[in-house]
Amino acid sequence: MIKRDVIVIGAGAAGLFCAAQSGQRGRTTEVLDHAKKVGRKILMSGGGRCNFTNMYASPENFLSENPHFCKSALSRYTQWDFIGLVNEYSIPHHEKTLGQLFCDNSASDIVDMLLTECRKADVTITTRCDITSVSKNADGYILQTSNGEYFCESLVIATGGLSMPKLGATPFAYKIAEQFGLNVLPTRAGLVPFTLQPNLKAPLAEISGISQKVRASCQNTSFVEDMLITHRGISGPAILQISSYWDGQEIELDLSVEEDLLEKLRLERANKPNVQLKNFIATCFARRFAETLISVLNLPNVPLKQLNDKQVNDIAEQLHHWRIQPAGTEGYRTAEVTLGGVDTNALSSKTMEARGIEGLYFIGEAVDVTGWLGGYNFQWAWSSGWVAGQNA
Ligand SMILES: Cc1cc2nc3c(=O)[nH]c(=O)nc-3n(C[C@H](O)[C@H](O)[C@H](O)COP(=O)(O)OP(=O)(O)OC[C@H]3O[C@@H](n4cnc5c(N)ncnc54)[C@H](O)[C@@H]3O)c2cc1C
């Protein structure tokens, strides 16, 4: 039997960072992962450049049944702490937009940093290790694995959520939580593209690749960013952001965030009455998008002088408040994150330890804390991993 003070299951962002912390406290630590490679999501993230944190990260950027839960970890280990570490390793990085920090070169800089931190702390990392059972006795936890039997005092579950099963995602964390009687909240895909009903999907598919700045709204929440039309539906940052708030209802798109189209259309009708509506709309959007809007919104493509005030109002209203009923989302296959998961009521926000179950910790995406797009999810992985690493 292999004995360790701490075993972390999951060699992703949260697990590797947590292991480095507990190892640096002098606790013998081993990380077990069933995958061949560690940190696969980190390597894939941010288009290969890893948006590793956000300069403006704060609890408001996270979704959870208990929005207060994340405050403690985020304040104990902040984005500035992580940026400090990235600077210590001289990893070149830049702000892309809205406080989002990306590596200049490659996401592998972040994985290499985490592995160096683990090496400095004598952490053992074992990949291709399947965990077949976990049980608890008075002293700690016994794990049966494809690498033999392990014993540890503290067990940290950092196996993430369900998004991207191709990258090794499994419901392991939820199963362990349930085994120990902890509540698991229903999960769903977040930061995920929407699929559309056939009547909208077909015409939009023909203009896939077009991107438009929009305000996407749902459940009293809005994001002003780009929307990208794809051959499957709609995506892009505005859509990914709002998808995390979507629960089956209509979403609303303001297609002209910067310009009041009612005023513009009234002026145009007065000054250029013979212009066709299609040509007017093409002054606001890419021409192919304008043509598609005329047909999918069923707008009257007539000279502007033929439009009465009500029609002008209706057209502007439709373009500023386009209500779409998504058919669904692309699901876990392409989702960047999983909403829901291990109920925060079952955990201590100060340590991430399960209430009433000494030595069992849950961190990272497995927990019901989900960040917006923009580096927030990694910040949660670092903050929750750090906190558990100080206590496990
Ligand atoms: C394509 C993509 C791009 C992203 N880009 C960004 C970004 O730029 N910025 C950002 O903040 N967030 C991004 N995210 C989200 C971010 O990657 C996750 O929120 C973060 O990786 C969660 O960290 P974690 O350690 O909790 O889980 P993970 O990183 O998912 O790690 C879990 C680990 O557990 C292992 N594991 C799973 N099940 C088992 C099991 N049964 N037994 C043993 N091991 C197991 C997995 O192999 C994996 O190594 C992106 C996600 C995706 C999918």
Side-chain angles (χ1 to χ4, degrees):
M1 179 190 274
I2 304 168
K3 289 193 176 177
R4 305 283 183 219
D5 293 333
V6 180
I7 288 182
V8 179
I9 306 183
L16 290 174
F17 198 55
C18 174
Q21 304 311 316
S22 77
Q24 283 167 22
R25 284 173 47 234
R27 304 274 282 161
T28 56
T29 304
E30 180 155 349
V31 188
L32 307 177
D33 200 297
H34 68 162
K36 277 188 250 170
K37 238 173 134 173
V38 303
R40 284 186 74 194
K41 273 195 193 165
I42 305 174
L43 293 170
M44 284 275 296
S45 68
R49 291 225 160 82
C50 185
N51 176 194
F52 56 81
T53 193
N54 192 297
M55 295 199 290
Y56 308 120
S58 80
E60 290 74 53
N61 307 119
F62 293 85
L63 293 90
S64 171
E65 278 284 302
N66 176 1
H68 302 293
F69 181 83
C70 62
K71 288 182 179 171
S72 176
L74 290 173
S75 68
R76 278 159 192 245
Y77 190 84
T78 70
Q79 60 271 39
W80 301 109
D81 293 318
F82 194 77
I83 294 165
L85 185 65
V86 166
N87 286 335
E88 253 178 58
Y89 277 77
S90 306
I91 296 177
H93 59 275
H94 61 279
E95 180 187 359
K96 197 168 171 193
T97 168
L98 305 167
Q100 301 168 6
L101 297 186
F102 284 76
C103 296
D104 288 354
N105 299 329
S106 162
S108 61
D109 285 351
I110 298 292
V111 175
D112 291 345
M113 177 184 85
L114 295 172
L115 291 177
T116 307
E117 285 288 290
C118 284
R119 247 190 324 273
K120 280 195 328 207
D122 285 331
V123 172
T124 310
I125 299 174
T126 303
T127 51
R128 299 177 196 248
C129 178
D130 290 322
I131 291 90
T132 45
S133 79
V134 173
S135 57
K136 181 171 172 21
N137 67 19
D139 303 319
Y141 295 84
I142 300 139
L143 275 57
Q144 305 298 337
T145 80
S146 55
N147 198 39
E149 192 175 48
Y150 281 87
F151 172 83
C152 60
E153 277 174 18
S154 296
L155 178 62
V156 183
I157 309 294
T159 50
L162 299 175
S163 41
M164 301 232 173
K166 271 194 186 158
L167 294 183
T170 71
F172 185 85
Y174 313 140
K175 289 197 171 143
I176 296 294
E178 278 163 359
Q179 179 189 333
F180 285 93
L182 307 175
N183 192 34
V184 176
L185 295 167
T187 59
R188 64 194 164 85
L191 300 180
V192 62
F194 284 126
T195 55
L196 299 172
Q197 316 280 358
N199 61 340
L200 201 51
K201 182 184 166 188
L204 288 188
E206 284 181 25
I207 55 163
S208 69
I210 284 185
S211 147
Q212 172 70 34
K213 185 173 184 183
V214 300
R215 174 181 288 106
S217 310
C218 161
Q219 309 236 53
N220 299 321
T221 306
S222 298
F223 292 93
V224 175
E225 285 190 67
D226 284 345
M227 169 180 79
L228 175 70
I229 296 172
T230 72
H231 56 280
R232 284 193 294 266
I234 46 175
S235 184
I239 299 303
L240 299 182
Q241 295 280 34
I242 207 66
S243 74
S244 293
Y245 290 82
W246 186 71
D247 205 6
Q249 62 278 77
E250 282 183 336
I251 60 161
E252 188 178 293
L253 300 176
D254 178 351
L255 297 175
S256 178
V257 180
E258 273 148 21
E259 225 172 9
D260 179 349
L261 293 182
L262 179 58
E263 198 185 305
K264 190 173 175 187
L265 184 49
R266 278 184 181 149
L267 263 177
E268 193 85 344
R269 184 181 55 174
N271 296 336
K272 297 182 184 163
N274 293 322
V275 162
Q276 292 276 125
L277 181 67
K278 185 168 76 183
N279 293 334
F280 164 75
I281 294 185
T283 65
C284 313
F285 307 105
R287 174 161 283 278
R288 289 172 64 223
F289 188 39
E291 285 166 2
T292 305
L293 284 173
I294 293 276
S295 92
V296 299
L297 295 176
N298 212 5
L299 303 178
N301 186 25
V302 294
L304 299 184
K305 66 184 175 197
Q306 289 182 24
L307 298 172
N308 62 32
D309 284 350
K310 181 175 180 311
Q311 284 173 306
V312 166
N313 277 329
D314 286 351
I315 291 164
E317 173 77 13
Q318 278 178 283
L319 295 170
H320 280 297
H321 303 275
W322 187 16
R323 302 186 72 83
I324 290 183
Q325 176 60 59
T329 72
E330 289 187 6
Y332 294 117
R333 188 178 61 80
T334 61
E336 282 198 14
V337 286
T338 303
L339 292 143
V342 178
D343 190 344
T344 58
N345 285 327
L347 306 176
S348 154
S349 62
K350 296 204 164 53
T351 62
M352 306 303 291
E353 188 174 22
R355 289 185 194 282
I357 306 169
E358 204 185 333
L360 181 63
Y361 297 76
F362 290 85
I363 58 173
E365 201 179 311
V367 177
D368 172 37
V369 173
T370 306
W372 290 0
L373 186 78
Y376 303 100
N377 285 296
F378 279 135
Q379 186 56 45
W380 172 245
W382 317 135
S383 295
S384 61
W386 187 88
V387 165
Q390 304 307 311
N391 290 281

